[in-house]
Amino acid sequence: MDEALLRSLTPSVLAVLVRRGADFAAAEDAVQDALVEAVRVWPADPPRDAKGWLVTVAWRKFLDATRSDTARRRREDRIEEEPAPGPAPAVDDTLQLYFLCAHPSLTPSSAVALTLRAVGGLTTRQIAQAYLVPEATMAQRISRAKRTVSGVRFDRPGDVATVLRVLYLVFNEGYSGDVDLAAEAIRLTRQLAAAIDHPEVAGLLALMLLHHARRPSRTAPDGSLVPLAEQDRTRWDTAAIAEGVRILQSALARDRLGEFQAQAAIAALHADAPTAEETDWVQIVEWYDELARLTDNPVVRLNRAVAVGEADGPRAGLAALAAVEDSLPRHTAAAAYLHERAGDPTTAARLYTEAAHKAPNLAERDYLTRQAARLNSRLRK
């Protein structure tokens, strides 16, 4: 069973059902039922046209689910609209579906959560981690979003800012390694950049390209995490870096700075440094100051504290970190790193161990555990 194929077809099938009049929540349920049916049937009897098969089965599932609640006249009208068997047109509806999910009746945060769950393929847990909220809270938010759009006709697409936020979070989840969605997010952002002349769209595309260019060097052959300072920079994709810098420079020249352009500028400074030691940390701190002004995001303040530690010394970094909420993910890991650089291996080892227990994924946990073991071994000598 090709799970990647099923995931790639889901947005198009969902879009077909929405266009045919199904409300979003019911359409999503029908598509999920069709995917379950595909997992059961396809290994023994694979269809010649996977998308056409899913559209037909999903539509029938939708009809079955609504038949008991719908008047006879309405049922007959919908049955007549059932797609005929045969190949379905090869149309990529994914980006359109992102805009439809960003419906004006939803708050931006609810629209992002709903799109990530229904179209992006992320789990509720992954979305909750991206938003820094408990999984139960995010589950309630997604349920409320589904109820809000239930029965709503998607004839008023949402705004670009919400779609950009969704694409950004999908890319980040793919880049983390849990779900391979990074390339898909880049593809959709390219489509959006080709269709809309918007500096923040360009900024997001530049940011994605600059981060994705470093992907081959982010993990060792055994799958362990390689921090930026230790990465083999000869493995970075120089063509992607050059494209990202070119797109960013064009966007910045328009003097309409946004958060994605600021993030891309930070990524470009990292990519431009021949070695970790030659990184322009002073300028990176300045860009973090701009980013903090634009977003007031606690994660930005955390990253800024680490950058201050590189630019002005670890004591200055610890002072900046003290102003950041200590409950924030990766706060303990940042404190461990800065304490080690400040010459306090005992505190650093303890904090690395604490950070490992809080790590959001296995690769990060293993890396932090190794850091703690390295310092403890040194302290025992």
Side-chain angles (χ1 to χ4, degrees), residues 186-234:
I186 292 174
R187 184 183 71 84
L188 293 173
T189 306
R190 282 191 187 280
Q191 286 186 9
L192 189 58
I196 299 176
D197 184 18
H198 192 298
E200 272 294 83
V201 176
L204 179 58
L205 179 57
L207 175 63
M208 289 179 175
L209 291 170
L210 290 164
H211 277 308
H212 206 59
R214 302 201 302 260
R215 189 171 189 176
S217 62
R218 292 183 72 247
T219 54
D222 62 359
S224 59
L225 187 67
V226 180
L228 177 61
E230 300 172 19
Q231 288 176 14
D232 180 359
R233 300 184 179 220
T234 64

Side-chain angles (χ1 to χ4, degrees), residues 124-332:
T124 303
R125 175 185 60 79
Q126 291 165 334
I127 302 170
Q129 288 178 347
Y131 270 88
L132 309 178
V133 300
E135 183 175 349
T137 301
M138 183 53 63
Q140 292 175 353
R141 185 178 300 179
I142 294 172
S143 295
R144 285 197 300 269
K146 287 183 178 181
R147 288 195 299 270
T148 299
V149 299
S150 180
V152 171
R153 293 301 297 266
F154 286 78
D155 55 355
R156 291 189 299 149
D159 65 349
V160 174
T162 302
V163 174
L164 288 179
R165 176 64 51 190
V166 176
L167 289 168
Y168 173 68
L169 291 175
V170 169
F171 175 82
N172 280 345
E173 196 58 53
Y175 197 70
S176 75
D178 283 348
V179 181
D180 189 12
L181 294 169
E184 173 69 359
I186 292 174
R187 184 183 71 84
L188 293 173
T189 306
R190 282 191 187 280
Q191 286 186 9
L192 189 58
I196 299 176
D197 184 18
H198 192 298
E200 272 294 83
V201 176
L204 179 58
L205 179 57
L207 175 63
M208 289 179 175
L209 291 170
L210 290 164
H211 277 308
H212 206 59
R214 302 201 302 260
R215 189 171 189 176
S217 62
R218 292 183 72 247
T219 54
D222 62 359
S224 59
L225 187 67
V226 180
L228 177 61
E230 300 172 19
Q231 288 176 14
D232 180 359
R233 300 184 179 220
T234 64
R235 299 183 63 198
W236 290 1
D237 185 342
T238 54
I241 290 173
E243 182 186 6
V245 169
R246 185 174 65 252
I247 293 170
L248 172 63
Q249 289 174 338
S250 177
L252 290 175
R254 302 177 65 175
D255 198 24
R256 290 168 54 195
L257 184 63
E259 63 172 296
F260 293 122
Q261 295 169 72
Q263 287 192 57
I266 294 169
L269 287 167
H270 283 297
D272 186 55
T275 65
E277 293 73 23
E278 296 174 86
T279 303
D280 189 346
W281 286 106
V282 173
Q283 194 171 350
I284 287 175
V285 171
E286 292 174 356
W287 275 111
Y288 271 123
D289 289 338
E290 289 285 350
L291 193 54
R293 179 181 61 81
L294 290 165
T295 66
D296 192 31
N297 187 311
V299 176
V300 171
R301 294 197 296 274
L302 173 66
N303 291 335
R304 179 189 177 277
V306 175
V308 168
E310 300 289 355
D312 301 328
R315 295 296 178 189
L318 286 168
L321 187 64
V324 180
E325 300 91 324
D326 59 9
S327 61
L328 200 65
R330 298 187 174 91
H331 185 285
T332 307

Side-chain angles (χ1 to χ4, degrees), residues 97-114:
L97 197 57
Y98 271 56
F99 273 96
L100 293 177
C101 288
H103 197 271
S105 63
L106 295 172
T107 63
S109 60
S110 295
V112 170
L114 178 62

